[in-house]
Amino acid sequence: MATVAPFRQAAVEPVPAATQLAALSFVSGVSGVLHGRSDRFRVVLHRVLSRAGKSYLQQASPYAGMETLDHSLAGRVLPLSTGVVGFAWKNGKIARTRDLAAPELEAALPADMAHVGDKRDLADVARSYLAVPMLGPDGQSTTILYADTHTVGLFADDVLVALIASMAQGFCTVMDQMTTKPLSSIQNYELEKGAPVLEEENVYEHLQELVPAIPVPRYSSVRLLNLQTTR
Amino acid sequence: MVPTECAWFVWGHWGRVAEALRLIEDVARAEEVLADYRIANEVFLLGGLSSGVTIYKQQVRAHNLAFALASSSLKGHLGSVAVVGGGIAGLTFAAALSTLFPMTRLTLFEQKADLCPLQQGSETRWVHPHIYDWPAVGSHRPQAELPLLDWSEETAGMVADTVLRKFSQLFGPTAAIDEGRDNTATAPEIGTPSLDLYTGVTHLRIPKTLSTVEWVGTSSKLVAGHVVAGNPRGGSDQFDAIVIASGFGLESAAGEFEPISYWRNDMLGQPVLSRAGQAYVVSGYGDGAIVDLCRLTIAGFRQGRVLDDLWGASLPVVEDRLAACGFASAATEGRLRSLYEGSEDLRALIDETVATIRPRLRRDVLVILGMRGKGPPNSSIWQALGGRSSTLNKLLLLVLFKAGAFVPRFEPLDLIQREFGISSRNIIVRHGTAAMKNVLSLFEQPDMILKILEDIHSNDNQIAQPLWPLGKFAPQ
């Protein structure tokens, strides 16, 4: 059994405005797909952040899908092993919440939360999660799309997950194209990837699963997403 | 205790232990950092004697020092802190400390009448936060990516403007009230850090107790990034810590030749308008000298753009070729001559670059580069290429030498002047700053701290990499 890492308030580090805007544009498109399927969801893009020889997960923008944009959440830095995103990062595969009926899910959720030391009020906890890793040319995640919803079973729908993965692939392709044909005033500036910072895994181990059947989006050239404005 | 409760107890206990371990780790790291900055018990020097002093690196050091003070054993005793120097380093330190300790009374002393006096209005200098790390991955990125007082590549004047505006936002519009004299000021909002600001400081001494600052200056306040001067006054106050963030702005003279500050606006980068060409001597071979050499020899030279100008889309390939031959490490270790002589590909690359740069070489100026040096006189360009300038500037110096873009000379400056009949106003002295002398002049008994300053200079341990834990400073 995994030793439990305590949940603690995440640190915040700057994210370049151009990176935030690109991430927000992408997740707003994904949120458009989820509208009508759920009335309570959030979508955000995480990027792998490199700082002083170490690599972390960093929330690249505010969440889309919420009533207001909360800019204070952009830039949150987390260990690469965090939750379902860390599960997807570690395996390089799409991860999501299993296809469980509501009673079964409601019965299993408290135990999984307790197992990882998650003390949140059950009413605040999403019921379906999705993490779509977007792999770089080195086979490691460059970015990871994260979504959660209170609609039970939403991401158990293979058609929906495949659609979102396809959108993520479109984002990867355009970002690759931007490296060869950048905008005159915005470019992607890569950094050396550092050693991954990992803490104890805290994915809900009985509720989340990998989805090996759906192709993982890939960048052909982008190893680190770091768009900045130039002069 | 039932198993579930037992597990919660263990988990909760583990969490507290983990947090305590993190704090202990922070304290240990903080004490190590402080040791590299400490002149005396509570007196610290911020970067002035380090190698590779750039705006960005000084700001990183400022964040590091603030983190270290805030996490060290001194943290409970920081009621009042003096910052000597109102340049970008001093402002960044003040900003960083104030976000960690908003209740600390900060007093900032600046010798000139304004803050960031070197860079304000400097429109002929282009500054880039990371270019001196080239060819390291990421050294092209234009944004400093600092939590506080962040900026992107720009003219030095615009960078100073950005820094001042962000500094002003932190301290609010009514900082540094001149006690009892300025009735127009309103009280700062609760929670806004306070700052006592003295500009135009004509006298500043740190007496031998090393805990007091004695000064004469003008009590000033900061409004929307601009200093508003009040009345002059003198004082002598005791502080819990004193941080010296000055000393690196003023440059050394070369005998009778007085330097004009690197940051003053000039016309070196502009085409000569008179029919007769002009001759210039640049004396020195550090980064400042090489940048001025480039401005005088390359038409339209801009530091932040030169890599793209030279190699364009081929830049990644060029960087790979330089990496393959070990150019950066040879430049750092003073082995460029043997590398150049032994590497056919490096010679080919330099020749290709010479061909690219040749059409852009200026024809309206004759440029002599005086590379005599401070110690035993140099006699070869390779000795200058073994100096402490950046890898980029060494490469540019080598390319310009191979292109015949300047006349290398090793005689004393006055002989060069006579030989070429050059006007004194066309002699550009770039011999670095007199940082040691400037710092020592702040102390009543400089011999008390001479040895430690020499150690700080030779150890060069104030590394310019972020050492603060993630999230220590909330992004501004």
Side-chain angles (χ1 to χ4, degrees), chain B residues 125-137:
Chain B
R125 294 291 175 189
W126 190 263
V127 288
H128 187 290
H130 309 289
I131 202 66
Y132 280 165
D133 293 331
W134 184 83
V137 177

Side-chain angles (χ1 to χ4, degrees), chain A residues 4-6 8 11-14 16 51-52 56 77 114-115 117 119 189-192 199 226 228-231, chain B residues 8 11 14-15 18-19 22 126 137-138 140-143 145-147 153-154 466 468-473 475:
Chain A
V4 177
R8 59 193 170 103
V12 176
E13 288 286 315
R51 180 188 185 268
Y56 307 81
V77 179
H115 179 71
K119 295 176 181 173
Y189 293 89
E190 299 227 346
L191 293 168
E192 204 73 71
E199 289 191 356
N226 189 31
Q228 297 193 5
T229 49
T230 63
R231 295 287 172 187
Chain B
W8 276 115
W11 291 330
W14 194 93
E19 195 56 39
R22 262 191 290 275
W126 190 263
V137 177
H140 304 255
R141 66 195 197 281
Q143 195 169 326
E145 296 173 319
L146 292 160
E153 64 162 324
E154 251 299 0
W468 62 90
L470 283 167
K472 189 75 182 177
F473 304 98

